[in-house]
């Protein structure tokens, strides 16, 4: 049976990738993409679907409970997939309030709307799903030889970002336990891929190399992250929506741990190779050190560490594998190659999100 999805945060990095994944795989479904278009949201991420008859974009804030309720009713939504969040740890350190508002109060607003329409008004008491997209960062930090995070690892969030996500996970759980809302939650490791906002490590390094800018490494660069290609996150959520048990949480990851310094060096090497193989890049990015046959690694600059920086994240995806049959489709080798190629082919995208012209364009489009 076809579904009607409400996807929050649809114009962000993972939300947009999820919308593309879903509409390609399930063309008979209807997708309503909702986004407040904060600095991290980019309507251009949805360009290839925006004119499809089974897609609707709604510019709204998840804190606006009335709008969410109206959409659930008018669009007869049966599946809500909740990506919308403030997502950057560094921003949560300098300004935590927005994280509490969107990630905690915003998630609660969605839960209240879903409960009211699906359960209290009995519009869909039996066949709905509220899927909450969360992060491995709620589990805190690991020592080098600790086992990876499983679904039973106690929560120990260390940043305002991860604390706000942890709070939202608990609220989602409580709406299932107390009111019977049909929820599932996924906790995923670090994603990378197309449409990743260039304040995050991987796209920041790619774009800084092209502009001959320093590659800032926090602290000693030995912090470890577990990287997953973004469409494999979408695939994991797809399996949870199809086969996951209501009330359960699933950890999604690809067993792919990298120290930050090693991943930055790898990107430098791959970028240098791209410049050697493709002479057109030298014309397009003449200031890049790689364009002068130099070594991008020379741009690496060690800077002050992030306060409270978590040392290591790693996901144990055993439950998703055994219960849902989850196995990521992309290896790190194929995923990072696709990512570099995407950034090299989509210069106008990352330039527009970085220089503010995109924000001006949105203001004109939406009359704000
Ligand atoms: P992102 O910052 O790229 O996108 C977030 C989107 O949410 C943006 O489009 C933004 O405009 C929108 N948004 C923010 N506040 C909103 C509000 N109040 N109302 C409506 N829309 C709002 O983030 P992302 O990396 O795509 O992350 C998506 C989700 O996945 C988040 O919940 C994040 O916690 C989770 N997650 C991310 C990662 C990762 O590596 N990026 C890993 C695991 C889990
Ligand atoms: P980030 O992409 O911000 O994701 P998260 O903090 O949610 O894991 O950062 C990934 C890792 O890279 C993290 O350990 C912080 C580090 N980092 C740097 O060393 N330099 C940078 O400029 C950035 C943005 C991150």
């Amino acid at each position: 049976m076809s579904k009607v999805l409400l996807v929050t945060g649809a114009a962000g990095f993972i939300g947009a990738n999820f919308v593309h994944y879903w509409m390609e795989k399930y063309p008979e479904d209807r997708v309503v993409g909702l986004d407040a278009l904060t600095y991290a949201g980019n309507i251009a991420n949805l360009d290839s679907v925006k004119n499809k008859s089974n897609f609707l974009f709604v510019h709204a804030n998840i804190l606006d409970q009335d709008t969410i309720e109206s959409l659930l009713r008018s669009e007869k939504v049966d599946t809500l997939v909740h990506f919308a969040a403030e997502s950057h740890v560094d921003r949560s350190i300098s300004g935590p309030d927005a994280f509490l508002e969107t990630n905690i109060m915003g998630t609660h607003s969605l839960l209240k709307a879903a409960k009211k329409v699906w359960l209290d008004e009995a519009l869909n008491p039996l066949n709905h799903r509220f899927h909450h997209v969360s992060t491995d960062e709620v589990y805190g930090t690991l020592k080098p030889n600790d086992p990876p995070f499983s679904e039973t690892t106690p929560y120990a969030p260390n940043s305002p970002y991860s604390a706000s996500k942890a709070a939202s996970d608990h609220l989602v759980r409580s709406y299932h336990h107390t009111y019977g809302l049909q929820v599932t939650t996924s906790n995923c490791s670090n994603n990378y891929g197309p449409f990743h906002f260039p304040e995050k490590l991987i796209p920041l390094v790619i774009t800084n190399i092209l502009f001959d800018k320093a590659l800032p490494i926090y602290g000693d660069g030995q912090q470890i992250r577990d990287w997953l290609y973004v469409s494999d996150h979408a695939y994991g959520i797809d399996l949870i929506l199809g086969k996951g048990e209501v009330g359960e949480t699933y950890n999604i990851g690809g067993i792919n741990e990298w120290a930050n310094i090693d991943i930055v060096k790898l990107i430098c090497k791959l970028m240098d190779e791209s410049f050697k193989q493709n002479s057109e890049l030298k014309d397009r990015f003449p200031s890049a050190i790689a364009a002068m046959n130099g070594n991008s690694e020379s741009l690496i600059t060690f800077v002050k560490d992030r306060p409270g920086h978590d040392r290591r994240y790693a996901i144990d995806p055993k439950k998703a594998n055994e219960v849902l049959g989850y196995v990521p489709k992309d290896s790190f080798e194929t995923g990072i190659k696709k990512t570099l190629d995407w950034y090299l082919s989509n210069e106008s995208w990352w330039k527009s999100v970085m220089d503010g012209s995109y924000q001006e364009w949105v203001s004109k489009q939406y009359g704000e």
Side-chain angles (χ1 to χ4, degrees):
M1 229 187 55
S2 63
K3 291 186 196 304
V4 182
L5 278 76
L6 174 59
V7 178
T8 72
F13 163 45
I14 310 177
N17 276 286
F18 178 81
V19 168
H20 293 301
Y21 169 98
W22 198 273
M23 294 194 68
E24 198 175 316
K25 184 156 176 198
Y26 302 106
E28 70 285 5
D29 286 356
R30 179 163 171 77
V31 175
V32 180
L34 179 141
D35 203 293
L37 297 176
T38 68
Y39 79 95
N42 187 343
I43 192 73
N45 296 358
L46 298 168
D47 265 355
S48 65
V49 295
K50 71 178 183 208
N51 293 324
K52 293 196 170 175
S53 58
N54 60 338
F55 180 77
L56 172 71
F57 179 72
V58 179
H59 183 202
N61 195 307
I62 56 170
L63 285 156
D64 180 355
Q65 193 186 327
D66 288 345
T67 296
I68 307 294
E69 286 176 15
S70 301
L71 279 173
L72 293 177
R73 289 187 199 105
S74 64
E75 295 292 331
K76 298 189 172 52
V77 172
D78 49 54
T79 306
L80 193 159
V81 187
H82 174 34
F83 292 94
E86 288 293 335
S87 68
H88 192 40
V89 174
D90 292 325
R91 286 179 190 253
S92 84
I93 295 168
S94 56
D97 296 65
F99 287 73
L100 274 63
E101 277 155 25
T102 287
N103 300 0
I104 304 177
M105 301 311 287
T107 301
H108 192 220
S109 157
L110 293 175
L111 288 165
K112 285 190 288 181
K115 171 183 173 288
K116 183 157 177 217
V117 173
W118 285 337
L119 300 182
D120 302 347
E121 295 174 10
L123 280 195
N124 190 347
L126 301 176
N127 193 26
H128 64 263
R129 179 70 70 85
F130 187 114
H131 182 75
H132 176 57
V133 179
S134 192
T135 165
D136 59 358
E137 304 194 23
V138 298
Y139 299 119
T141 188
L142 292 168
K143 294 199 173 66
N145 296 318
D146 284 348
F149 303 129
S150 77
E151 290 77 0
T152 55
T153 302
Y155 274 34
N158 288 320
S159 72
Y161 163 65
S162 53
S164 67
K165 291 297 292 186
S168 68
D169 294 8
H170 294 319
L171 282 168
V172 171
R173 178 188 154 88
S174 78
Y175 266 65
H176 172 66
H177 191 79
T178 305
Y179 304 112
L181 196 68
Q182 298 184 349
V183 309
T184 40
T185 295
S186 49
N187 295 84
C188 189
S189 58
N190 282 61
N191 287 211
Y192 68 98
F195 304 120
H196 205 182
F197 197 81
E199 66 184 353
K200 306 278 170 69
L201 183 70
I202 289 183
L204 179 107
V205 167
I206 297 171
T207 51
N208 279 13
I209 287 174
L210 295 173
F211 282 132
D212 196 36
K213 282 165 69 177
L215 310 179
I217 305 285
Y218 300 164
D220 64 3
Q222 292 302 329
Q223 304 84 4
I224 289 172
R225 296 293 181 265
D226 188 352
W227 295 94
L228 184 73
Y229 191 61
V230 61
S231 55
D232 277 323
H233 187 177
Y235 174 50
I237 295 170
D238 179 6
L239 290 178
I240 295 170
L241 291 175
K243 300 190 206 168
E245 203 178 313
V246 163
E248 288 292 311
T249 68
Y250 299 88
N251 283 0
I252 303 179
I255 313 181
N256 181 40
E257 292 182 54
W258 283 79
N260 292 339
I261 186 67
D262 294 335
I263 214 159
V264 172
K265 284 184 176 169
L266 174 74
I267 295 170
C268 289
K269 186 172 134 268
L270 294 174
M271 290 291 276
D272 291 350
E273 283 170 13
S274 296
F275 272 80
K276 282 195 186 104
Q277 284 157 13
N278 182 356
S279 58
E280 180 232 3
L281 288 178
K282 295 185 180 177
D283 299 330
R284 285 172 55 205
F285 305 104
S287 64
I289 192 152
M292 294 164 245
N293 299 322
N295 192 340
S296 300
E297 260 193 39
S298 61
L299 297 170
I300 289 176
T301 309
F302 288 88
V303 299
K304 212 165 122 220
D305 207 355
R306 173 187 277 173
H309 199 168
D310 283 337
R311 200 70 183 158
R312 174 178 166 232
Y313 302 142
I315 278 277
D316 177 358
K318 191 162 169 244
K319 178 175 170 185
N321 174 257
E322 289 182 357
V323 178
L324 310 171
Y326 177 70
V327 179
K329 293 180 190 295
D330 265 291
S331 66
F332 190 59
E333 211 177 10
T334 59
I336 198 75
K337 180 88 186 54
K338 283 199 269 188
T339 304
L340 291 191
D341 288 347
W342 189 86
Y343 279 86
L344 291 173
S345 311
N346 287 278
E347 185 184 344
S348 58
W349 180 88
W350 48 264
K351 278 198 169 148
S352 69
V353 300
M354 287 161 84
D355 70 12
S357 65
Y358 165 71
Q359 254 67 24
E360 269 171 44
W361 179 80
V362 166
S363 300
K364 281 199 201 110
Q365 291 285 310
Y366 292 92
E368 289 168 0

